[in-house]
Amino acid sequence: MARKASLSGFPELLPEERVVENHVLDVLRRTFELHGFSSIETRSLETVEQLLRKGEIDKEVYAVSRLQEDDGARSAEKLALHFDLTVPFARYVVENAGHLSFPFMRYQIQKSWRGERPQEGRAREFTQADIDVVGEDALPFRYDVALALVIVDALSQLPIPDFVMRVNNRKLSEGFYLGIGLEDTAGVLRSIDKLEKIGPAAVAQLLREELGATDEQAEAALGLAAIRAEDTSFVERVRALGVRHELLEEGLAELAEVIGEASKRAPGRVVADLSIARGLDYYTGTVYETFLVGHEQLGSICSGGRYDALAATQKRTYPGVGLSIGVTRLVARMLSQGLAVPSRKVPSAVLVALTDDAGWSAAQDVADALRSRGIACEVSATAAKFGKQIKYADRRGIPFVWFLGEDESGAPTHEVKDIRSGEQAPADPAAWEPPHEDLRPRVTAPTGD
């Protein structure tokens, strides 16, 4: 990792670390586009009023102003950096609805800013990769299933440990709480959301002290949260608890559809976990959280859910479902634990060596020929001894060194050396290609001993 930043929470990467991050971003872009998602980018700044309209805590929001701010600026004009991509996206949909085709499928990869205490997995400046599908007035539930499978596809292509997407449904949970007589369903969800941090006994105490739950109600709520399954068997386990409510049945059916299809296409990757609550109030149905197996203490690397009214106007409602991958969190763990290894730290596959300074222009001709075919290369700046030029390439991880010379008749000759194996052979600048695996830096999981 790069040295500790002088400004904590704003990470900076070394070139080889950036190779890993770019690999992650490239995989996500490619996968999202293969599934039909279009790319957009929203502005970094939003009005404070827009950012806080869903009740987010303003202590974490970074306000932005000019050094010579106008004291008479109206509050609606006060600006702040966005802390996620969902709220800006909701505004974008409303403002551009007349130019969009619904359902609108978008992906968005950008930085966000949040003023919280920095620690591993939590930075003040961080990159997110979001995918959402938004409908006009209605959105088919099958998109809830499809988005889970898109994320599984994307993460499966990365050099990371096994992962599990845990899925629940807010209707299921809220219907159950109503069925046992707990009316403050949002309060119960907030308490259940703390289960992994503080444990069941502390959550039961919260339910009793803050929400007035009886011992029996607290026990029932925790019993629901304890249910996990890799298939639709969770449905009967919930019904066995003896609670009945129309909203509960609706949530059971929706979650069964997600888990039923996912268990066929990605067995073991997507599981029902009825402890998943997601504390944000705007989620109304399916909720997702994704964890690396063996790295659960890192927290969720990909979260989201269904929101039926995040974006709305007086005439239209834009329901949606979305998931957000914490790219900075994921990459930080990949780097700190050595989960991913770049094949080299620079794009260059070839260093064109100099025999003497007079040959610099001819070396540039070789480089031009290689670059015209998409082969990244650089030309040595000085005609140092070949050994030094080879060492320079080795330090940068450049696999091939190109040598120019002349035969007995004075005609130019070309040879290329694989400095890893020591093999050297004649080469034609207009035709030579490196092996496919050497064309660009690759990122892989480390090999075992």
Side-chain angles (χ1 to χ4, degrees), residues 191 194-195 197-209 222:
S191 297
K194 301 174 183 177
L195 190 57
K197 291 182 179 180
I198 64 176
V203 169
Q205 186 175 354
L206 283 177
L207 293 173
R208 290 191 297 266
E209 293 180 356
L222 289 171

Side-chain angles (χ1 to χ4, degrees), residues 320-396:
V321 59
L323 280 151
S324 176
I325 297 175
V327 174
T328 297
R329 172 176 293 190
L330 180 59
V331 170
R333 178 51 60 105
M334 293 169 71
L335 296 174
S336 67
Q337 301 295 311
L339 302 176
V341 178
S343 59
R344 59 181 186 261
K345 65 178 71 174
V346 297
S348 302
V350 180
L351 172 69
V352 183
L354 287 183
T355 304
D356 53 50
D357 288 329
W360 188 80
S361 183
Q364 290 290 347
D365 292 338
V366 173
D368 287 345
L370 296 175
R371 291 170 185 148
S372 70
R373 300 197 312 283
I375 303 170
C377 60
E378 53 190 89
V379 176
S380 184
T382 61
K385 292 181 179 179
F386 282 154
K388 286 188 176 181
Q389 295 184 65
I390 291 173
K391 285 183 180 179
Y392 170 83
D394 185 48
R395 286 198 307 271
R396 291 172 63 76

Side-chain angles (χ1 to χ4, degrees), residues 388-416:
K388 286 188 176 181
Q389 295 184 65
I390 291 173
K391 285 183 180 179
Y392 170 83
D394 185 48
R395 286 198 307 271
R396 291 172 63 76
I398 300 173
F400 296 98
V401 176
W402 195 285
F403 299 103
L404 293 82
E406 293 182 353
D407 62 17
E408 294 179 355
S409 66
T413 62
H414 300 272
E415 292 192 351
V416 66

